[in-house]
Structures are given as C-alpha cells and as structure tokens.
Amino acid sequence: QVQLVESGGGLVQAGGSLRLSCANSGRTFSSYTMGWFRQAPGKEREFVAAIIWRVNTAYADSVKGRFTISTDNAAKTVFLQMNGLKPEDTAVYYCAADRRLRLATNGYEYDYWGQGTQVTVSS
C-alpha cells in the first residue's frame, strides 16, 4: 500500500525558497512515477513536476529553472526544492504516485495522493 505524507509547506516572501518532502510509508518509489501538483483557490489542479527514479524528470513551464524534483537514495522520499518563489506559486501542493512509469502530467493518471501542504508566498 502506498501512503504519501507531504511536509515542508509554509509562508515565505517572494524570492524565497522552500523544500517540500513527500514520504512513503510503504514501498519505495523506484517502481512509480512520482509527481507534484498544486491547486490554488478557485483554480484547477495543475501539474508541477514528475520524476521516474534515476531515469527522468519533467516540469511545468511555469516552474522550469526554479523548482527541482528529486528523490533520496533509498527512493522513499521525494523532494520539491522551490527557489525564486512568486506570489502566483501560492497553492496547496500535493504529492502523487502513478503505478506506471510514464511521467504523466495529468492528475487523473495518478493512483495515490497525499493530503497536501499549503505554500503561501507573500509579495
């Protein structure tokens, strides 16, 4: 069973940094595509980044060059390093796992979801 728990959200000023973590209490992430999504108030959920362990990554255009997705060596925790944060990055950030290795950017392709962590960027 995959159980995802996000942490690391908070309030930060524009230009600042945060690192989100997503821990899995069950299996390792090595056989999953892991993704980060976000949802701002009144907006649809959107793709942020995805990773296939030691193989490949994908990013939304809006975060390229600012955000970095990675995993630890044990493939038990996924990180989202967010630098150069902007007020428009404010959202609830969700970690998700897809049982297929395909770097999907549509949230409907993912099978497991965490509870979300709030990121607020002040101007």
Side-chain angles (χ1 to χ4, degrees):
Q1 182 68 17
V2 175
Q3 290 183 309
L4 306 176
V5 179
E6 301 100 331
S7 61
L11 173 65
V12 64
Q13 288 188 331
S17 298
L18 283 174
R19 188 173 83 155
L20 305 183
S21 299
C22 173
N24 179 20
S25 61
R27 303 171 62 179
T28 69
F29 293 145
S30 59
S31 58
Y32 294 83
T33 297
M34 299 303 301
W36 285 98
F37 291 77
R38 66 187 182 187
Q39 188 166 20
K43 295 187 177 181
E44 293 186 353
R45 180 178 60 196
E46 64 175 357
F47 169 77
V48 176
I51 186 168
I52 298 174
W53 187 56
R54 293 186 175 180
V55 174
N56 210 350
T57 57
Y59 295 92
D61 288 342
S62 59
V63 306
K64 276 182 184 176
R66 299 189 298 124
F67 291 11
T68 303
I69 188 170
S70 63
T71 65
D72 64 353
N73 289 335
K76 293 283 285 185
T77 305
V78 177
F79 304 101
L80 185 67
Q81 177 67 43
M82 305 185 295
N83 299 327
L85 282 161
K86 305 175 182 179
E88 51 264 42
D89 294 318
T90 295
V92 177
Y93 283 70
Y94 297 91
C95 175
D98 178 1
R99 290 174 292 182
R100 294 152 289 270
L101 299 177
R102 54 184 173 177
L103 286 177
T105 60
N106 188 326
Y108 293 104
E109 304 286 3
Y110 286 75
D111 303 292
Y112 306 97
W113 291 84
Q115 82 288 350
T117 185
Q118 177 70 47
V119 171
T120 303
V121 184
S122 62
S123 57

